């Protein structure tokens, strides 16, 4: 029922305990969302019952999780928070590659 929410909250708590810097939280958010999207793609494009059973508990993405469990104004606010985190993630990636180029 709420397995996907519990899994994501557990992963976010582990990330908060593991990482100490704000930049690391942004990277972890991006990594988690990309991982969820990859696993969702695999689940929808490979038709194996065992694989679908295992990956069936995971949401399609963090924004998909927000849309599944909230609605109205709270959903809009949380989706904007997700968009801001995406923008910060993109900024950090661009900054990282700009440093590598020098």
């Amino acid at each position: 029922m709420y397995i996907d929410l519990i899994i994501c909250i557990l992963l976010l708590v582990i990330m908060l305990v593991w990482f100490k810097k704000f930049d690391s939280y942004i990277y972890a958010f991006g990594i988690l969302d990309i991982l969820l999207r990859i696993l969702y793609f695999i689940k929808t494009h490979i038709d194996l019952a065992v694989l679908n059973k295992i990956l069936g508990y995971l949401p399609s993405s963090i924004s998909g999780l927000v849309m599944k469990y909230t609605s109205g104004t709270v959903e809009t606010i949380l989706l904007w928070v997700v968009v801001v985190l995406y923008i910060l993630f993109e900024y950090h990636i661009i900054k990282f590659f700009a440093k590598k180029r020098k």
Side-chain angles (χ1 to χ4, degrees), residues 41-101:
F41 179 84
I42 291 170
K43 180 179 81 171
T44 57
H45 288 82
I46 298 178
D47 191 24
L48 292 173
V50 174
L51 189 63
N52 286 336
K53 197 172 207 178
I54 293 169
L55 298 178
Y57 294 110
L58 295 176
S60 60
S61 65
I62 293 176
S63 58
L65 190 68
V66 168
M67 290 186 284
K68 182 177 180 181
Y69 289 108
T70 60
S71 63
T73 307
V74 173
E75 178 183 10
T76 304
I77 291 170
L78 289 176
L79 287 175
W80 275 107
V81 168
V82 169
V83 168
V84 168
L85 289 173
Y86 286 147
I87 292 168
L88 289 173
F89 179 66
E90 191 73 23
Y91 167 75
H92 284 288
I93 289 177
I94 291 169
K95 186 172 78 171
F96 173 76
F97 281 116
K99 283 183 182 177
K100 286 288 188 185
R101 186 166 184 231

Side-chain angles (χ1 to χ4, degrees), residues 1-14 32 36 57-59 65 68-69:
M1 171 155 50
Y2 292 109
I3 300 283
D4 54 353
L5 184 63
I6 293 169
I7 289 171
C8 283
I9 289 174
L10 183 64
L11 288 172
L12 288 172
V13 167
I14 289 170
L32 177 63
L36 289 174
Y57 294 110
L58 295 176
L65 190 68
K68 182 177 180 181
Y69 289 108

